[in-house]
Each structure stands twice: as structure tokens, then as C-alpha cells.
Amino acid sequence: MCLRTTEPARISVELKRALEFYHGTVEDLIRELIRVLGVNETDRRALEIVLLEDKKATTPGILAERLGLTAAGVTIMLNRLEKQGYIARSLHPTDRRRVIVMATELAAHRIQELVVPMIVESYKMLLSSYDSAELDIIADFLTRAGELQRIHRERLRDVDPYSKP
């Protein structure tokens, strides 16, 4: 009977430790990626969004919403990324009032060179370590955890910043 009450607690502690370790290593990896690319965190995230939504028309408005930036903030950020050769802006092909943001070949090449080998290595490790049922559970967990992160982010966007002491 004691096993039933302590097992969930033990698993909870292990899960907390694993998530803290994972989040820390992701932050460390992103910090190094930022260093190598020569961008800041917001610029990196914008570049990631643009690259991931390559087939869709990413607009400054989409980036503002996803990053929690003002229109002016997005313009400044896009100017930086354009100056570095990572993005290009053009008019929407059917709505000339809208601007589309696209990743350049330079950005795609650098991400391909830096990130794709890490992704391939990760998939190889996961596929060799877990069976398909376990991978389904892992994918479900990560999807749910991501949804929670999105919910938490939206809640934080409604909180006023702390005043400076």
C-alpha cells in the first residue's frame, strides 16, 4: 500500500528533474546557436518561425503576434535580420498592401548546416531507444507540454511587468 502512494511521488520528482534538465539544455543550445548566428533571442525565434512556415506567407503581423512585439518592434527586428542577410521582404503576390517575410538562402543554408545534423542525430537516438508505442506517448506528452507552454505564455502576456525597485 505504501508503494502506491510513493510511486507517483517518485515519478513526479523524476519528471520534474528531467524537465528541468531538458529545459536547461535547450536554453544552453539556443544560446550557442544565437552566438554562432550572431543574432539575439527574439531575432532567432523570428527566423525559426519564418523558416518553419516557409510554404505559408509569414507577415510582420504574424511575427508581432507570435513574438508579442509591437509593429514598430517587428520592423526594427526585420531591419536587423535583413541587414544580416537572413530575411527578405516582398509584397504579397495577390494583395499588394501586405508584406511577406521570407528566409534567404543564406539563412536556410546556415540552419541546414547547424541544426539539421542535430535533428537527424536526435531522431536516430530516439528511434533506436524506444518502440513505436513509447514514441507515441512521448509525442503526446511533448504536444501536451507545448500546449501548456502556449497557455502559460498567453497568461503572462496579460500580466503587467513588475515595477523597478
Side-chain angles (χ1 to χ4, degrees), residues 1-11:
M1 195 170 232
C2 190
L3 267 176
R4 290 183 186 202
T5 58
T6 60
E7 188 63 10
R10 182 192 66 76
I11 292 170

Side-chain angles (χ1 to χ4, degrees), residues 115-142:
V115 177
V116 170
M118 290 185 256
I119 293 170
V120 169
E121 182 180 6
S122 299
Y123 283 138
K124 282 182 184 176
M125 188 278 292
L126 287 171
L127 292 173
S128 68
S129 300
Y130 301 99
D131 65 33
S132 59
E134 290 169 320
L135 289 170
D136 282 341
I137 291 169
I138 292 168
D140 179 67
F141 173 81
L142 291 173

Side-chain angles (χ1 to χ4, degrees), residues 30-48 67 69 73-74 76-81 84 86 111:
I30 288 172
R31 191 171 35 259
E32 288 305 310
L33 186 59
I34 286 167
R35 181 187 62 78
V36 172
L37 290 173
V39 298
N40 64 39
E41 168 55 19
T42 303
D43 295 2
R44 183 215 53 91
R45 182 68 180 119
L47 193 54
E48 178 181 46
L67 299 170
L69 297 174
V74 168
I76 292 166
M77 176 195 66
L78 292 176
N79 289 343
R80 278 194 308 266
L81 288 170
Q84 288 179 282
Y86 288 143
I111 295 301

Side-chain angles (χ1 to χ4, degrees), residues 39-71:
V39 298
N40 64 39
E41 168 55 19
T42 303
D43 295 2
R44 183 215 53 91
R45 182 68 180 119
L47 193 54
E48 178 181 46
I49 292 166
V50 171
L51 283 163
L52 288 175
E53 297 186 8
D54 188 40
K55 302 299 182 237
K56 301 176 192 167
T58 305
T59 65
I62 290 170
L63 291 170
E65 190 278 321
R66 295 277 303 273
L67 299 170
L69 297 174
T70 64

Side-chain angles (χ1 to χ4, degrees), residues 6 9 26 42 75 87 89 98 106 128-130:
T6 60
V26 167
T42 303
T75 299
I87 62 108
R89 290 177 268 197
R98 293 178 58 203
L106 175 67
S128 68
S129 300
Y130 301 99

